Amino acid sequence: MLYRRVALGALRYDQTYKIAADYKLTLQFLKGEKALKVPFPLCLFESGGVSQRRVLQGRCEQFVIRREVKACSFVLNVLIFVAQTASYTLRHYCPALYWLLRQGGNKAPVTRQT
């Protein structure tokens, strides 16, 4: 995401979150501002970063952040956490099925990093 500096105001990264500080900043920002979605990538991320190596910690931080900023109900927060965990588990242990389901039944891609 790109942010207008003036639109961020006093918002800053909460460094108590080692993985999801950007997630919290974005949730807080989107509560007060409108976002513009563009139909093309602004940047590409290299795989293998800390959020991919410490998935459970990142998901737990996101769960706490959603509760802290009141982004959704407790039940929805739990459902999001369960869905994310199930998705990661399926992708990790059965990538062909994961990609088949993700693409709505189309043939799974041959070369995807998991």
Side-chain angles (χ1 to χ4, degrees):
M1 291 187 70
L2 297 176
Y3 303 94
R4 283 189 357 244
R5 176 70 183 108
V6 68
L8 281 174
L11 288 177
R12 298 291 180 268
Y13 283 110
D14 182 345
Q15 295 181 5
T16 59
Y17 297 105
K18 302 303 179 198
I19 296 176
D22 57 337
Y23 182 80
K24 182 177 181 184
L25 179 83
T26 299
L27 276 183
Q28 291 175 311
F29 179 79
L30 290 176
K31 286 187 106 177
E33 294 289 330
K34 293 182 182 180
L36 172 66
K37 182 177 180 177
V38 295
F40 51 86
L42 295 174
C43 64
L44 301 174
F45 291 91
E46 186 70 36
S47 62
V50 69
S51 61
Q52 287 185 335
R53 292 190 314 269
R54 296 163 72 184
V55 173
L56 183 58
Q57 180 183 352
R59 296 296 184 222
C60 289
E61 286 183 7
Q62 289 176 357
F63 180 88
V64 170
I65 289 166
R66 283 190 297 271
R67 184 182 64 212
E68 186 180 323
V69 301
K70 298 174 179 49
C72 58
S73 71
F74 177 77
V75 172
L76 182 55
N77 197 6
V78 170
L79 290 174
I80 291 168
F81 180 83
V82 169
Q84 289 174 327
T85 304
S87 176
Y88 171 77
T89 302
L90 186 61
R91 184 176 181 182
H92 184 75
Y93 292 106
C94 193
L97 179 58
Y98 169 85
W99 287 109
L100 184 70
L101 293 171
R102 184 168 169 111
Q103 294 180 355
N106 296 332
K107 186 178 178 189
V110 177
T111 56
R112 287 277 185 164
Q113 276 190 314
T114 56

